[in-house]
Amino acid sequence: MSEPPDSGEPPPELRLTTAEWGLWQAFRNGTEHDLRCGEPELDDPNGDHPWGPERTVRARVIALLLLHGPPPLLGRVSSLHLTGAVVTGCLDLAGGSVEPYFELRSCRFEDEVRMPEARVSTVRFVDCYLPRFDAARLTTEGDLHLPRCSIPEGIKLTDATIGTDLLLNEATVGSGRRTRAIAADGVNVSQELQASLLVTDGQVSLRGAAVGSSLHMFGSVLRNPRGRVALFAPQMTVDQVASFADAGRGNAPQLYGATPPAGTRYDFSTRGGTRWRTKHFECTGGMVLDDGRFGSSLVIENARLEMQRDQELSLRRITTPELTFTPQLPERGLVVLSGASVEKLMDRASSWPQDHRLWMAGFTYSHAIPKEGHFNVRERLQWINAATAEYAPEPYEQLAAMYRNGGEDTNARIVLLAKQRRRRETLPLPGKVWGVLQDWTVAYGYRPAQAALWMAVLWLTGALLFEAHRPPALKDGEAPHWNATLYALDLLLPVISFGQDTAWDPAGGYQWIAAVMVLAGWVLATTVAAGATPLLRRQ
């Protein structure tokens, strides 16, 4: 194919059709070439109605315009705006450098679009039917838009570099004979990656992806019935927020469909003042976000997760200042937070599995705040028990540290007491017996009031006992006036002395009773003092 002459006229051997001739002139003028008939049913690119020659444009003509197009008319900027056409042949721009801006809207492609290793400014396919879109290692200076497109054979964006935004809102993407609907490992998006209301059939792979602003998947539906994982995005980096949540009133996706891009809000409401409806984020298959870095927050909110027993929502070793975790409780599958590091955890009790389908060994957090309803210390302990089929001290210590740092010492002691009781289950029989004794008497030292009560009981018992059986004086004539109450208190208090315990000499069984009271006094008084120390420190 020869290059077009400087006059801007097409090469004669092209034999342009009427539709192609109009596109050629619109390209030079920088205007839209619209081939629609005006009836929505007939203009649907996904419909069954045939489009005749009057709406047919060859892919080679589009490629010629984009790669070696004619000069613009004086005072105009050349660009390709094609609407409502059927494109025959493969649009192949592989390895090419495309300078003009181009946008195709409501077009039907008979063959795949190939743009691997191409360099372009801004690309927009809006509401089009594309059998497949292959743009591995594509480089754009501006946006790549594929909103409302139907792509049954999948999208390939491996190692692509997007200069500004990547838009996949409301697209429907299949995997065809492949396993992946969207293969975008290593994709680099300088600003936002918007994939709200996206519907996929096959795996979405974003391994190692980098997003300079935010990732939005509001109301998207990801399905992979032929594999274990529906969203595979380990080692992903998002500088701000990654959202897997409802598409509703506050976060309706932004859809671009005009030139210049004005943008329109997707309207979830109906006329007449009815309520806005909400579309949930749904994932059928596992979600893997292992080793992800989220600069602002990771939001998994009210999501519907359909998993099999061997599938996971895996958040291993993620790092984020804030994790919002309020999905609908999955009936099957695992939730894994092992090694994750979070500053603030916002969750709800009903979102966590309760039957050892929760793994969080090494999970660290500084604050845990219920986003909906209550999540008291008893429920937090159930949360830990669900995550530890076998005893491990770290989850208890992590939760206790959080309460202690927040000034909730009572809750911290409840957690540490539960830790000792759980540990007791792993001990041999002598250790269990001793543990039960410690628990029953002083609650392992975590309930000072219980120790104080035991001291009061022993004091009263000892006072009554020694009042009825006064011991003889150690030295006749030198003993103070006998006081059974002070004598029993002298035996119990390890430091303070009222001079009674050193003046009287119990014998026989009462000597052993006195010895037991001294030992019990040391243990109980130490427990009471340890419990009172934090209160005195705060005051």
Side-chain angles (χ1 to χ4, degrees), residues 101-385:
Y101 167 89
F102 70 98
E103 176 180 319
L104 295 100
R105 301 178 67 244
S106 301
C107 290
R108 182 185 297 172
F109 287 76
E110 291 187 349
D111 208 340
E112 68 177 338
V113 175
R114 300 190 70 254
M115 301 177 64
E117 302 193 34
R119 301 185 66 87
V120 300
S121 55
T122 293
V123 183
R124 289 179 180 155
F125 293 88
V126 180
D127 196 20
C128 292
Y129 174 85
L130 309 170
R132 179 168 172 78
F133 185 77
D134 185 351
R137 298 172 299 282
L138 168 73
T139 299
T140 75
E141 295 179 3
D143 299 338
L144 173 59
H145 291 187
L146 295 166
R148 299 192 298 275
C149 287
S150 296
I151 312 174
E153 297 291 330
I155 296 174
K156 186 174 183 180
L157 289 171
T158 306
D159 296 321
T161 301
I162 310 301
T164 49
D165 297 333
L166 171 59
L167 265 65
L168 300 171
N169 294 330
E170 288 192 282
T172 302
V173 186
S175 57
R177 298 180 300 275
R178 301 171 177 83
T179 58
R180 296 180 178 181
I182 299 178
D185 294 346
V187 67
N188 190 313
V189 182
S190 296
Q191 296 185 18
E192 288 196 348
L193 197 169
Q194 297 187 22
S196 297
L197 300 174
L198 171 70
V199 178
T200 62
D201 183 6
Q203 186 184 97
V204 176
S205 184
L206 293 168
R207 178 173 57 86
V211 181
S213 181
S214 298
L215 165 64
H216 297 308
M217 282 195 171
F218 296 120
S220 297
V221 178
L222 312 181
R223 301 189 183 100
N224 187 15
R226 298 184 297 276
R228 294 184 64 248
V229 179
L231 175 61
F232 184 70
Q235 303 171 358
M236 179 169 63
T237 301
V238 181
D239 286 357
Q240 295 185 19
V241 182
S243 300
F244 305 91
D246 294 342
R249 185 178 192 132
N251 52 22
Q254 187 86 7
L255 300 179
Y256 293 101
T259 304
T264 56
R265 288 287 183 182
Y266 184 83
D267 189 5
F268 288 88
S269 64
T270 58
R271 301 298 180 185
T274 58
R275 292 184 177 180
W276 288 59
R277 62 183 176 86
T278 298
K279 186 172 180 60
H280 301 293
F281 173 83
E282 299 181 14
C283 184
T284 302
M287 282 181 62
V288 176
L289 300 176
D290 296 347
D291 301 294
R293 300 292 181 268
F294 306 95
S296 178
S297 64
L298 171 61
V299 180
I300 304 176
E301 188 171 16
N302 207 29
R304 293 181 176 177
L305 307 176
E306 298 288 340
M307 297 184 289
Q308 301 302 318
R309 294 184 181 276
D310 61 341
Q311 296 173 341
E312 300 177 353
L313 167 57
S314 182
L315 306 177
R316 290 178 174 88
R317 299 175 299 279
I318 67 165
T319 301
T320 181
E322 182 177 306
L323 170 62
T324 298
F325 190 87
T326 58
Q328 299 181 25
L329 179 64
E331 295 182 1
R332 293 178 296 275
L334 301 174
V335 175
V336 184
L337 280 162
S338 301
S341 178
V342 174
E343 288 292 326
K344 181 167 65 173
L345 172 64
M346 301 182 66
D347 59 352
R348 65 183 177 194
S350 59
S351 293
W352 298 105
Q354 299 294 325
D355 49 359
H356 300 301
R357 292 188 292 119
L358 172 61
W359 296 356
M360 55 181 192
F363 174 44
T364 61
Y365 52 92
S366 299
H367 307 281
I369 303 171
K371 185 173 177 61
E372 299 177 15
H374 59 83
F375 208 156
N376 58 40
V377 64
R378 303 295 179 186
E379 292 170 321
R380 287 288 178 196
L381 288 172
Q382 293 176 5
W383 175 57
I384 289 178
N385 291 336

